[in-house]
Amino acid sequence: MIQVRIDDIDANTALSIVYELRDMDWQQGQDFEFAYRHARRDSYSYELQDPSHAIFLFYNEEYATMFRLKYL
């Protein structure tokens, strides 16, 4: 499984990418998976510890390469 992380992305943009992948007839659960994570901040100083990001997982190396060329 190949993991691709896109930093500083909002949830709407991540979902737009998922919809585009589905429109290309890629099957979620067979060809790719994704997860979105909100930004994490320190509860005391409110400093950014981890930016918001989406993680896309691909079962096929060719799909991961095509994804990187298009979205990164």
Side-chain angles (χ1 to χ4, degrees):
M1 204 180 288
I2 299 98
Q3 179 175 314
V4 179
R5 178 177 164 147
I6 302 176
D7 285 330
D8 297 321
I9 188 172
D10 62 20
N12 289 331
T13 305
L15 285 175
S16 295
I17 292 171
V18 170
Y19 296 146
E20 287 179 28
L21 297 179
R22 289 179 184 168
D23 287 343
M24 294 175 3
D25 290 330
W26 292 9
Q27 299 293 317
Q28 189 172 346
Q30 291 179 337
D31 300 318
F32 74 97
E33 297 285 347
F34 84 101
Y36 177 78
R37 302 284 186 246
H38 293 282
R40 269 188 334 144
R41 296 190 177 271
D42 184 290
S43 60
Y44 180 72
S45 66
Y46 205 64
E47 285 186 34
L48 184 64
Q49 291 182 333
D50 195 19
S52 59
H53 61 277
I55 298 174
F56 288 86
L57 301 170
F58 296 93
Y59 296 99
N60 184 327
E61 196 169 327
E62 293 172 5
Y63 285 175
T65 301
M66 289 174 54
F67 181 86
R68 283 185 181 120
L69 290 173
K70 186 169 183 176
Y71 297 105
L72 293 182

